[in-house]
Amino acid sequence: MKQLSVAFFVLLLIQNYGIFLHADPNDGFVTTKGMQLMLNGRPYHANGFNAYWMMYVAFDPSQRDKVSTAFHDAKKHGLTIARSWAFSDGGVRPLQSSPGSYNEQMFQGLDFVISEAKKYGIKIVLSLVNNYVDFGGKKQYVDWARGQGQSVTSDDDFFTNSVVKGYYKNNIKTILTRRNSLTGIAYKDDPTIMAWELMNEPRCPSDISGKTIQAWIAEMAPYLKSIDGKHLLEVGLEGFYGVSKQRSNPNTQVGTDFITNNQIPGIDFATVHAYPEQWLPGSSDESQLSFLNGWLNDHIQDAQNILHKPVLIAEFGKSLKLSGIAQRDQLFNTVYSTIYLNARGGGAAVGGLFWQLLAAGIDSFRDGYEVILSENSSTAILIAQESQKLSRI
């Protein structure tokens, strides 16, 4: 009976705020104006999700219904931004099997993801390479260069070696100029894509001064913009500060700086990730929430007062392997309340993307953070409520 009443409440939200099903944010490019995202001349605030697995699953045409189901469920709950991977370098099911060599079937999977996002009126942020070894990442690029006789000793040579940077630039150009086999629209001309992301969570532990990643962003941002001047661009940062404000970090220095990295021309908005349980292991839920409040508010204030750019909470979550539903819902509510209260007052916070939305039937992608909207009723209510509130701003 309780599950039935919860499901009825979600249905009531959807019926009362039919905008979830009828608003089509895909009829223009998202732009920026000061601290705001803009769409068709109006400020754009949106609730969203991560679903890194979409291209990988859509590689197999028989599994593409999982992608469609995820977008359908997301739309019903008012979610209008997705973030996903546009990379799979080497390994199993590669998009790029070797430098400059691409797998057409995987590209067609990405074509499908973008076309389905368009169908459901959902904007998409696409990340172009991984910091980590999953799906190849910067290590794969360095390995490719080493195989061609380059003297590279560290995965961080990704940011400095000229051959590696050439591989990455070619990858940028190949993806941005790809013509979707289903829609006929080149990616660089498709307003379904909200933004490109240079790298998922870039880190350069070999140079915590931040100079290496700063120089890399300063080189790659104008290169990407020279090919595609229509879409927004963000770095993919977690939000760690450099030496000027390292006291705000959770005992972590990774060679990035939220302030200086986002001040680079061509970077249109800032991003923040939030995983207090990972960054403060062994701490209480109360301590984690206290940190989370400070972390979010510090970045929002810096986006407003220093960067003068929008900020998107691009990843947040809490693992059900380490806590219960109630604790996760509390974290979601904290993030959502912070975003809404700031956005309502015209601040820099423009939305949040939880990690991660999953469709039923692909259990191999469960990581403890997954939200299956048909299974997680209390979380689904929080998501629908945040979508409704943001849509009214």
Side-chain angles (χ1 to χ4, degrees):
M1 182 64 70
K2 181 178 179 182
Q3 291 296 321
L4 185 62
S5 63
V6 168
F8 176 76
F9 181 65
V10 173
L11 180 62
L12 191 62
L13 274 173
I14 293 169
Q15 289 176 334
N16 285 347
Y17 306 104
I19 49 169
F20 292 1
L21 298 178
H22 303 300
D24 181 5
N26 255 318
D27 53 0
F29 286 91
V30 178
T31 60
T32 62
K33 183 179 180 180
M35 299 185 300
Q36 301 294 313
L37 293 180
M38 304 292 291
L39 181 60
N40 299 324
R42 301 181 62 184
Y44 180 59
H45 299 93
N47 203 19
F49 61 94
N50 284 273
Y52 75 94
W53 48 270
M54 284 186 160
M55 177 183 71
Y56 190 88
V57 169
F59 168 88
D60 181 352
S62 71
Q63 295 297 305
R64 289 180 180 173
D65 63 300
K66 306 297 191 302
V67 174
S68 302
T69 296
F71 278 130
H72 176 267
D73 291 348
K75 185 63 176 179
K76 283 202 307 182
H77 290 77
L79 296 167
T80 54
I81 300 179
R83 175 172 173 262
S84 196
W85 297 169
F87 59 77
S88 182
D89 299 304
V92 179
R93 292 191 184 181
L95 174 61
Q96 184 178 200
S97 54
S98 61
S101 179
Y102 290 84
N103 181 340
E104 177 60 22
Q105 186 175 346
M106 186 63 93
F107 244 141
Q108 289 177 11
L110 185 56
D111 291 345
F112 179 79
V113 172
I114 296 170
S115 67
E116 285 298 279
K118 178 180 177 65
K119 173 182 175 181
Y120 286 98
I122 292 176
K123 296 292 189 186
I124 192 163
V125 177
L126 292 174
S127 188
L128 296 169
V129 71
N130 206 2
N131 175 68
Y132 310 106
V133 297
D134 307 275
F135 298 93
K138 65 184 183 185
K139 181 181 187 301
Q140 180 63 76
Y141 277 82
V142 172
D143 286 348
W144 281 333
R146 184 180 293 112
Q148 293 300 310
Q150 289 293 300
S151 179
V152 286
T153 59
S154 165
D155 293 350
D156 287 348
D157 288 333
F158 175 89
F159 301 108
T160 57
N161 180 272
S162 60
V163 170
V164 174
K165 289 190 292 183
Y167 292 161
Y168 177 69
K169 286 180 178 179
N170 181 70
N171 185 59
I172 289 175
K173 184 177 181 180
T174 301
I175 292 175
L176 271 57
T177 58
R178 164 76 177 184
R179 187 168 297 277
N180 193 308
S181 61
L182 297 173
T183 67
I185 304 171
Y187 288 6
K188 66 184 180 65
D189 298 323
D190 193 340
T192 305
I193 298 169
M194 177 182 131
W196 300 108
E197 177 178 283
L198 289 178
M199 174 181 266
N200 172 51
E201 299 188 342
R203 294 184 173 192
C204 185
S206 64
D207 180 12
I208 61 172
S209 75
K211 293 179 180 178
T212 296
I213 282 186
Q214 183 78 358
W216 181 79
I217 299 168
E219 180 178 351
M220 297 305 166
Y223 177 77
L224 185 147
K225 290 283 189 167
S226 73
I227 300 170
D228 179 1
K230 296 178 181 179
H231 288 105
L232 301 179
L233 175 64
E234 48 96 356
V235 181
L237 297 171
E238 298 159 274
F240 298 120
Y241 290 96
V243 292
S244 63
K245 199 176 177 181
Q246 60 183 339
R247 66 185 183 281
S248 297
N249 290 344
N251 303 313
T252 303
Q253 286 285 103
V254 299
T256 61
D257 184 357
F258 178 77
I259 302 296
T260 58
N261 295 161
N262 283 310
Q263 287 177 321
I264 292 173
I267 301 304
D268 297 297
F269 64 94
T271 61
V272 180
H273 297 183
Y275 293 105
E277 68 178 8
Q278 292 184 17
W279 299 343
L280 303 172
S283 62
S284 65
D285 286 335
E286 292 75 16
S287 296
Q288 291 175 18
L289 288 174
S290 176
F291 167 81
L292 178 63
N293 273 306
W295 181 253
L296 296 177
N297 284 303
D298 275 356
H299 288 82
I300 291 170
Q301 292 303 311
D302 287 340
Q304 292 177 180
N305 301 327
I306 302 175
L307 299 176
H308 310 295
K309 293 181 180 182
V311 60
L312 179 70
I313 314 305
E315 285 190 28
F316 66 91
K318 193 173 182 67
S319 174
L320 295 183
K321 294 179 180 179
L322 303 174
S323 60
I325 290 283
Q327 288 74 31
R328 183 172 74 177
D329 286 352
Q330 191 174 21
L331 181 138
F332 272 52
N333 190 55
T334 298
V335 174
Y336 284 157
S337 296
T338 301
I339 292 169
Y340 173 68
L341 291 173
N342 181 262
R344 185 180 63 180
V350 293
L353 316 180
F354 66 83
W355 185 279
Q356 61 157 329
L357 180 69
L358 203 61
I362 47 174
D363 290 349
S364 62
F365 292 95
R366 288 181 180 264
D367 58 1
Y369 292 88
E370 70 277 353
V371 175
I372 300 176
L373 292 168
S374 60
E375 296 178 4
N376 304 124
S377 299
S378 62
T379 308
I381 288 174
L382 289 174
I383 291 167
Q385 288 174 331
E386 177 75 352
S387 299
Q388 176 261 312
K389 289 192 294 185
L390 287 177
S391 71
R392 288 183 156 187
I393 296 176

